[in-house]
Amino acid sequence: MIAERISRISPSATLQMTARAAELRSSGIDVINLSVGEPDFPTPRNIRDAATFAIENGVTKYTPGPGTIELRKAIAKKLSRDNNLNYKHQSIIVSCGGKHSLYNACQALFQKNDEVIIFTPYWVSFPDFVSITGAKPIFVKTNPDKQFEPQFNDLIKKVSKNTKAIIINSPSNPTGGVWSDESIKQVLEIANDNDLWVFSDECYEQLTYEKPFKSIATYDNKSNKILTFQSCSKTYAMTGWRIGYMAGDINVVQAMSKLQGQSTSCPNSIAQYAAIEALTGDQTQIKNMRNIFKLRRDYIVSELNNINGIKCNKPMGAFYVFPDFSHYIDNVNIKGAYDLSMLFLEKKAVITVAGNAFGSNNNIRLSYAASENELSKAIKLINEVLKNL
Ligand code: PLP
């Protein structure tokens, strides 16, 4: 009954954990949810006010499929201001979240017999975005001790005549890893030599803690095959508003617009209006959020490393840590990260996401988009479970 293409994808593991947390909460259990992929701050006041203005002033109709010209011009300004990237609004498409832009770009570019390079651990949706087009995800190993940068011998081995694209996500979900300039340049060189598209998912671009973020397309101004994906979701605590965008080759933008016009018509008009305020209005909230996240990162990394058997490298971006629990995986009672993550959930109501969802059996993703008090309680509870194993 159901079309074959749906069997090529799996439900989002992170959204499943969010649903499980809601279930436990509704049955009266005091849950600590470290599975969330969104800031725990409210959307800043000026952005909410802009949305109210839009509602009251008739900004409530369909917009052009790829987004309003005003918003696309605001994005062009933002890309120039923050990322040193120069795009005209015609080379920008706004979608219902960065996820939707990524999905549409995969649909526009990939098909059967294509191969797409994805680095492991990967964001849950990348393999599914590729598989549903009929193309094949090809997984490349990374180095956990070096911000999960690519293992280049593996990358070179995996590039074939069928390779069509490489997906980069730095800062990364789930690892928080931020790649060095050298690694990025090396990947771009390989992409250039093999005439590959480069997808740069930069939705955590404002969340780097040791060095300012550098957009991938600024490393190589010769290539017109780099597509830059960004989002209002994490930067402005706007996950539910669903505004993300892509800047890049105009033919790809047009193909994506055609698809978008026939699927969602356009992104939400009110959210688009508010996104203009987000991108061009007061930016101080970003810095405030970043400072808080950095303190929490330092706290959680140090606490996790104090637990016997856990190894947690310090990620340089995003709001996730991805500690290694292999010490506790005995392949008998605990076969992998999934079993451990379920123990934390069932015994102590601490919700995490097992690394299995991201292609890693030894790690668990913990989000520190939670208060220090909650983080402290969660660490204590996790430690209690581990001590009793
Ligand atoms: N890319 C990565 C790596 C993410 O972690 C997420 C959200 O979790 C997205 C893209 C999509 O975000 P949104 O669709 O809310 O812009």
Side-chain angles (χ1 to χ4, degrees), residues 37 97-99 102 123 169 173 201 203-204 231 233-234 242 320:
K99 191 176 204 169
L102 284 156
W123 178 48
N169 174 219
N173 176 6
D201 178 351
C203 75
Y204 297 97
S231 172
S233 289
K234 322 284 175 171
R242 310 309 300 129
Y320 310 104

Side-chain angles (χ1 to χ4, degrees), residues 131-170:
S131 300
I132 201 160
T133 69
K136 196 169 159 200
I138 302 291
F139 299 105
V140 167
K141 292 183 203 142
T142 59
N143 189 346
D145 293 326
K146 276 191 75 193
Q147 297 292 310
F148 292 88
E149 290 179 358
Q151 290 190 17
F152 282 96
N153 50 358
D154 197 37
L155 174 57
I156 288 160
K157 240 183 3 212
K158 302 268 172 74
V159 173
S160 79
K161 64 178 189 349
N162 291 331
T163 312
K164 179 97 185 247
I166 296 186
I167 302 181
I168 301 177
N169 174 219
S170 166

